[in-house]
């Protein structure tokens, strides 16, 4: 493991020195022990503030794994159940034939609500009540349970509101009390970041080079950007670019997700070692839904809130976790017992998971 620390640190240094990354964190836990804690580069290019192991980074959809973990902890305590209709916790959600849609449908991306209104703005995303009311009243794109389609922005609101209705607490509060504090990472794992903690955060950068632009007719051919009944998975005014990712109102809302690589890896290590019982972990991290994704147009395999396999390069069925659009990821390997967190503050261009793939292959190969 000493060699692994040296090799990961060398790769992190290389990625920063060659300009691929600005700031980078990599952490690996095994059996409750931090065996890799590598960091390189700067957290804030404007001031030169260095990236440290304790610098929280906005991680977009990598945070969906945090929300899923909250659900499993609450399910074990009997606060909610996977096969209970969402409308039993949230009556308004029954609109437009969604009365039989279950928590399991939401966790496996079979719910049929992958979109938000096409005119959604960043300001809308921080209005929790507005977004939840909109989604509760929305018409599903397919009958829940019949198709799979990634929910880029709606997932956090739908599952987070189920947690709030079932537990009486915000999803951020449950994450803190039931996951982060017991695992010793209360200052490193957030959905809504306390305002006092904002100065600690890394500053997110857009990709290098000119932005890639597509004409509307080309966008219309991409499933991710299609519009159905005024809803889209990718609202153009609320895409997760640097401007959105650095907004204080988003960072302090339950729609966000922020953490250190160390905190994320610790969460997945906790899942492997008793945060939830082995039987529940097996169900949550094994294939529950597989097939062609209606939104991404790619084959997918989902457990309960976690991707089974992570990227094309990291696709073993023993891997489970989540990646985020900027190129961050956190996951565990049930075979080796390794739990990995990778965060960075420059949004990836082209293939956003190139850095995750390189680091993941080094650690798990």
């Amino acid at each position: 493991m000493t060699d692994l620390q040296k090799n990961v640190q060398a790769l992190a240094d290389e990625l920063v020195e060659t300009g691929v990354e600005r700031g980078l964190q990599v952490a690996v836990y095994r059996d409750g022990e931090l065996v890799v804690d590598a960091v390189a580069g700067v957290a804030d290019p404007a001031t030169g503030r260095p990236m440290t192991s304790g610098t929280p980074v906005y991680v977009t959809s990598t945070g969906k794994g945090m929300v899923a973990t909250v659900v499993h902890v609450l399910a074990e305590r009997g606060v909610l159940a996977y096969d209970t209709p969402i409308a039993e916790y949230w009556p308004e959600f029954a609109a437009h034939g969604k009365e039989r849609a279950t928590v399991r449908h939401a966790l496996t991306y079979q719910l049929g609500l992958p979109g938000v209104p096409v005119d959604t703005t960043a300001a809308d995303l921080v209005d929790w009540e507005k977004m939840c009311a909109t989604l509760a009243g929305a018409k599903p794109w397919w009958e829940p349970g019949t198709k799979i389609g990634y929910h880029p922005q709606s997932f956090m609101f739908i599952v987070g509101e189920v947690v709030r209705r079932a537990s009486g607490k915000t999803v951020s509060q449950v994450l803190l009390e039931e996951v982060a504090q017991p695992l010793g990472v209360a200052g490193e794992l957030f959905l809504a970041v306390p305002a006092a903690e904002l100065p600690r955060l890394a500053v997110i950068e857009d990709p290098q080079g000119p932005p890639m632009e597509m004409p509307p007719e080309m966008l219309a051919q991409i499933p991710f950007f299609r519009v159905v009944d005024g809803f889209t998975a990718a609202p153009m005014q609320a895409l997760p670019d640097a401007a959105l990712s650095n907004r204080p109102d988003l960072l302090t809302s339950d729609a966000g997700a922020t953490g250190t690589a160390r905190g994320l890896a610790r969460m997945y290590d906790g899942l492997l070692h008793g945060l939830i019982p082995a039987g529940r972990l097996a169900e949550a991290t094994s294939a529950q839904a597989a097939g062609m994704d209606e939104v991404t147009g790619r084959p997918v395999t989902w457990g309960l809130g976690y991707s089974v396999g992570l990227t094309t390069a990291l696709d073993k069925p023993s891997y489970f976790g989540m990646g985020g659009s900027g190129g961050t990821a956190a996951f565990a390997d049930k075979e080796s017992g390794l739990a990995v967190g990778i965060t960075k503050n420059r949004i990836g261009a082209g293939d956003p998971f190139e850095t995750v793939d390189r680091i993941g292959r080094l650690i798990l190969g």
Side-chain angles (χ1 to χ4, degrees):
M1 288 299 172
T2 301
D3 287 343
L4 185 60
Q5 167 70 31
K6 291 178 181 177
N7 292 339
V8 172
Q9 184 63 62
L11 178 54
D13 290 338
E14 175 195 326
L15 288 164
V16 169
E17 288 166 5
T18 57
V20 174
E21 302 297 349
R22 177 72 78 171
L24 182 63
Q25 300 170 332
V26 184
V28 181
Y29 271 86
R30 189 176 195 181
D31 297 329
E33 179 185 357
L34 183 64
V35 295
V36 172
D37 189 10
V39 63
V42 298
D44 184 349
T47 66
R49 174 166 57 92
M51 184 76 85
T52 72
S53 299
T55 302
V57 181
Y58 183 65
V59 295
T60 59
S61 290
T62 298
K64 291 185 173 79
M66 300 184 207
V67 176
T69 300
V70 165
V71 170
H72 300 315
V73 170
L74 292 181
E76 184 59 30
R77 297 189 178 215
V79 175
L80 51 75
Y82 306 137
D83 294 312
T84 299
I86 291 171
E88 287 197 19
Y89 306 114
W90 181 4
E92 303 95 312
F93 196 81
H96 295 294
K98 300 195 300 296
E99 65 275 358
R100 290 188 296 276
T102 65
V103 176
R104 186 182 298 271
H105 289 148
L107 292 173
T108 55
Y109 294 92
Q110 297 181 94
L111 191 59
L113 289 179
V116 296
V118 69
D119 59 355
T120 296
T121 66
D124 292 324
L125 291 181
V126 305
D127 189 336
W128 186 268
E129 298 292 344
K130 177 181 179 179
M131 292 300 297
C132 288
T134 297
L135 291 164
K139 183 186 298 184
W141 291 14
W142 57 81
E143 181 183 345
T146 62
K147 296 180 181 181
I148 304 170
Y150 187 54
H151 290 41
Q153 293 177 328
S154 58
F155 179 96
M156 299 292 272
F157 296 101
I158 294 166
V159 182
E161 184 67 2
V162 168
V163 167
R164 187 171 78 95
R165 298 289 183 117
S167 71
K169 299 178 180 180
T170 66
V171 65
S172 287
Q173 188 176 358
V174 181
L175 177 75
L176 175 64
E177 295 174 357
E178 303 289 351
V179 179
Q181 286 179 339
L183 295 177
V185 288
E188 300 190 35
L189 211 58
F190 306 101
L191 293 168
V193 178
E197 302 282 353
L198 289 177
R200 296 175 51 211
L201 270 57
V203 176
I204 304 299
E205 285 189 334
D206 281 320
Q208 289 184 302
M212 184 175 68
E213 295 185 1
M214 291 187 185
E217 58 271 17
M218 188 177 294
L219 281 176
Q221 301 303 311
I222 301 173
F224 203 83
F225 291 95
R226 68 176 169 150
V227 177
V228 178
D229 294 329
F231 281 60
T232 179
M236 299 306 293
Q237 299 179 76
L239 295 178
D241 58 9
L244 184 144
S245 301
N246 291 318
R247 286 179 65 115
D249 54 355
L250 178 72
L251 293 166
T252 54
S253 78
D254 283 336
T258 299
T260 65
R262 191 168 57 189
L264 289 160
R266 179 71 182 106
M267 184 188 77
Y268 280 93
D269 181 72
L271 285 166
L272 292 176
H273 298 289
L275 186 61
I276 57 176
R280 188 173 297 279
L281 177 70
E283 180 181 10
T285 61
S286 61
Q288 301 290 317
M292 190 61 65
D293 190 292
E294 296 286 318
V295 173
T296 66
R298 297 177 179 177
V300 292
T301 302
W302 289 106
L304 295 178
Y306 309 114
S307 174
V308 178
L310 201 72
T311 68
T312 303
L314 304 171
D315 63 350
K316 284 180 63 175
S318 60
Y319 301 164
F320 71 95
M322 278 300 299
S325 59
T328 62
F331 55 98
D333 177 14
K334 291 183 285 186
E335 286 187 359
S336 67
L338 295 174
V340 182
I342 302 167
T343 65
K344 62 199 200 73
N345 60 343
R346 174 175 284 162
I347 295 172
D351 176 3
F353 294 107
E354 183 176 354
T355 289
V356 166
D357 285 342
R358 288 189 64 184
I359 294 171
R361 285 194 298 262
L362 175 61
I363 292 168
L364 298 167

